[in-house]
Amino acid sequence: MNRELIRLHQDTGLPLVATNDCHYLNMEDHKSHDALLCINQGKLVKDDKRLKFSSETFYMKSPEEMKKAFSYVPRRSRTPLKLPSGATSS
């Protein structure tokens, strides 16, 4: 999370939202995702000049992993997810 967004939150009281760039469900799915990228581009995994993700971390992180990733956010700024009225989490 950008430090400027934290400052903006502190100055305005607007809520912060911590998100994760997620392209596949589990960490171990990164190789399958890489193969799908290759198929989409008509490339081989061994090709150097192709779209490739920079790490294996584009998976759905657990609440514990998200808390660790955003541990630098001041405690007073952390609030649970609030769903709009009428919305459900299922």
Side-chain angles (χ1 to χ4, degrees):
M1 183 173 296
N2 184 309
R3 301 242 181 236
E4 281 300 304
L5 291 176
I6 294 172
R7 186 194 58 75
L8 184 63
H9 156 73
Q10 292 169 336
D11 291 349
T12 65
L14 291 170
L16 288 173
V17 178
T19 62
N20 179 46
D21 190 2
C22 180
H23 291 264
Y24 40 90
L25 190 56
N26 302 303
M27 182 190 251
E28 50 276 356
D29 295 335
H30 72 274
K31 288 183 180 180
S32 298
H33 181 261
D34 193 45
L36 285 172
L37 287 174
C38 290
I39 292 167
N40 184 42
Q41 301 171 71
K43 303 278 185 177
L44 298 174
V45 173
K46 65 182 180 180
D47 289 343
D48 290 331
K49 295 187 179 191
R50 66 174 180 88
L51 176 65
K52 184 186 278 191
F53 279 47
S54 59
S55 75
E56 301 169 357
T57 61
F58 293 93
Y59 64 95
M60 177 80 79
K61 292 184 177 57
S62 69
E64 293 76 25
E65 289 173 300
M66 291 296 286
K67 286 177 189 174
K68 185 177 178 182
F70 292 97
S71 62
Y72 62 89
V73 175
R75 185 105 180 123
R76 67 185 176 281
S77 298
R78 298 182 204 167
T79 56
L81 176 67
K82 296 176 184 173
L83 295 173
S85 63
T88 63
S89 60
S90 58

